[in-house]
């Protein structure tokens, strides 16, 4: 069985921590069939630059406090069916997040 893991960091808001802004990208680099090791996968074009942006946003924005919560997420399994995004959406719903924006670069 395939185990999917998302890398997530949560920077809690100081005034309205239940309001959430998500900054996300995906880190997988596979063709749609995860058992196909012969075809080229998009790699850095999909989505290495977005992943670098999430890491840089976390580095820069973590130096200050914000009224709302910021979630930095690197998702997995997106090429195989948006699995990482579904895991994050389910987690947000289970925890009552009021998602105000999702920035997916």
């Amino acid at each position: 069985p395939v185990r999917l893991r998302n890398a997530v960091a949560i920077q809690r808001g100081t005034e309205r921590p239940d309001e959430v802004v998500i900054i996300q990208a995906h880190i997988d680099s596979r063709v749609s069939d995860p058992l196909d090791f012969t075809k080229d996968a998009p790699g850095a074009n999909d989505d290495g630059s977005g992943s670098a942006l999430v890491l840089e946003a976390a580095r820069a924005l973590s130096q200050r406090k914000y009224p709302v919560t910021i979630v930095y997420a690197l998702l997995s399994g997106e090429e195989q069916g948006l699995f990482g995004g579904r895991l994050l959406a389910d987690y947000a719903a289970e925890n009552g997040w009021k998602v105000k924006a999702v920035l997916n670069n």
Side-chain angles (χ1 to χ4, degrees):
V2 176
R3 291 187 67 165
L4 296 173
R5 297 206 190 276
N6 289 335
V8 177
I10 299 173
Q11 183 177 350
R12 295 274 177 219
T14 57
E15 296 172 25
R16 300 180 309 280
D18 59 330
E19 294 182 12
V20 177
V21 172
I22 300 171
I23 302 172
Q24 70 179 29
H26 64 278
I27 56 174
D28 56 358
S29 179
R30 298 294 303 264
V31 294
S32 295
D33 178 359
L35 300 178
D36 183 352
F37 58 89
T38 61
K39 289 191 179 85
D40 288 337
N45 291 334
D46 189 22
D47 182 30
S49 58
S51 297
L53 181 132
V54 171
L55 295 174
E56 179 59 15
R59 185 198 65 77
L61 297 176
S62 67
Q63 305 303 310
R64 295 191 49 217
K65 294 181 187 282
Y66 298 94
V68 300
T69 295
I70 302 173
V71 173
Y72 308 97
L74 295 175
L75 309 175
S76 62
E78 296 302 280
E79 302 301 337
Q80 291 75 41
L82 304 176
F83 296 127
R86 171 57 55 202
L87 287 172
L88 183 58
D90 290 346
Y91 184 86
E94 290 167 9
N95 288 279
W97 290 359
K98 296 177 185 168
V99 178
K100 298 297 184 175
V102 176
L103 306 174
N104 183 17
N105 296 286

